[in-house]
């Protein structure tokens, strides 16, 4: 079965009444964890974006509680989780706050990559993503985020 386009799905969803729409959402959430996570964000966390960003930063702190050398698998897992969570939000300010927090924690905890070029590249990729996201926010915020970024 080939998936329909977003516009086709939107046209079909408009035709549904409230109960049918609720059934579709619940059924969709049952099939994939990511769908359930997205619904959780949309229904419970989207209205308070700063709290969502703080929650993501706290989870990053939990993942990076190790000191010393960090394995590339662990780092890759954290980055994948962070990217997925930020994709739910879509807010550039939240993205910047979380990515900068991630990079700051790596620097503060003096986590060494043990000469692993893959891990170093993942860190540098986060810095590039921060630079791209900074260009898309308000100039006043750009100044604040650039100041936070200067230590990295």
């Amino acid at each position: 079965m080939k998936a329909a386009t977003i516009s086709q799905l939107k046209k079909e969803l408009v035709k549904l009444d409230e109960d049918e729409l609720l059934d579709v959402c619940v059924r969709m959430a049952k099939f994939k964890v990511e769908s359930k996570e997205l619904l959780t964000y949309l229904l419970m966390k989207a209205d308070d974006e700063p709290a969502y960003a703080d929650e993501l930063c706290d989870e990053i702190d939990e993942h990076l509680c190790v000191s010393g050398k960090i394995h590339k698998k662990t780092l890759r897992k954290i980055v994948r989780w962070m990217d997925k969570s930020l994709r739910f939000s879509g807010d550039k300010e939240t993205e910047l706050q979380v990515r900068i927090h991630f990079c700051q924690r790596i620097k503060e905890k003096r986590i060494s990559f043990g000469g692993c070029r893959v891990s170093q590249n993942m860190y540098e990729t986060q810095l590039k993503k921060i630079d791209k996201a900074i260009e898309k926010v308000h100039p006043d915020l750009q100044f604040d985020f650039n100041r936070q970024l200067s230590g990295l």
Side-chain angles (χ1 to χ4, degrees), residues 127-143:
L127 294 176
K128 289 176 187 175
K129 288 181 178 183
I130 290 169
D131 287 336
K132 285 183 182 179
I134 284 178
E135 295 171 4
K136 297 178 182 176
V137 295
H138 191 274
D140 292 339
L141 293 173
Q142 285 180 1
F143 176 76

Side-chain angles (χ1 to χ4, degrees), residues 15-142:
K15 296 176 187 176
L16 301 177
D17 65 5
E18 274 187 45
D19 291 335
E20 291 173 326
L21 190 58
L22 179 64
D23 290 341
V24 167
C25 288
V26 169
R27 194 163 174 211
M28 186 179 72
K30 286 181 183 178
F31 279 97
K32 199 162 188 180
V33 173
E34 192 168 311
S35 298
K36 193 182 299 183
E37 290 171 343
L38 176 59
L39 278 174
T40 302
Y41 168 77
L42 292 172
L43 297 174
M44 300 175 194
K45 307 206 185 275
D47 56 339
D48 192 7
E49 199 66 33
Y52 180 66
D54 291 339
E55 184 180 318
L56 294 178
C57 291
D58 290 342
E59 284 199 44
I60 287 172
D61 289 342
E62 288 177 25
H63 290 298
L64 291 176
C65 64
V66 236
S67 60
K69 188 177 175 181
I70 189 168
H71 297 283
K72 65 183 175 187
K73 284 185 178 181
T74 306
L75 189 63
R76 191 177 293 139
K77 180 180 174 183
I78 295 168
V79 169
R80 256 195 330 262
W81 167 83
M82 186 173 61
D83 287 343
K84 179 179 67 172
S85 300
L86 291 173
R87 196 173 60 240
F88 292 158
S89 170
D91 184 42
K92 291 298 176 190
E93 291 177 40
T94 301
E95 178 182 354
L96 285 167
Q97 181 181 345
V98 172
R99 289 191 195 282
I100 289 173
H101 180 82
F102 172 76
C103 292
Q104 285 174 339
R105 287 302 171 258
I106 286 180
K107 283 291 186 185
E108 285 174 9
K109 293 185 180 279
R110 295 192 174 119
I111 294 174
S112 68
F113 300 123
C116 178
R117 191 69 197 144
V118 173
S119 298
Q120 184 66 32
N121 286 342
M122 278 188 260
Y123 178 78
E124 290 172 6
T125 300
Q126 293 307 307
L127 294 176
K128 289 176 187 175
K129 288 181 178 183
I130 290 169
D131 287 336
K132 285 183 182 179
I134 284 178
E135 295 171 4
K136 297 178 182 176
V137 295
H138 191 274
D140 292 339
L141 293 173
Q142 285 180 1

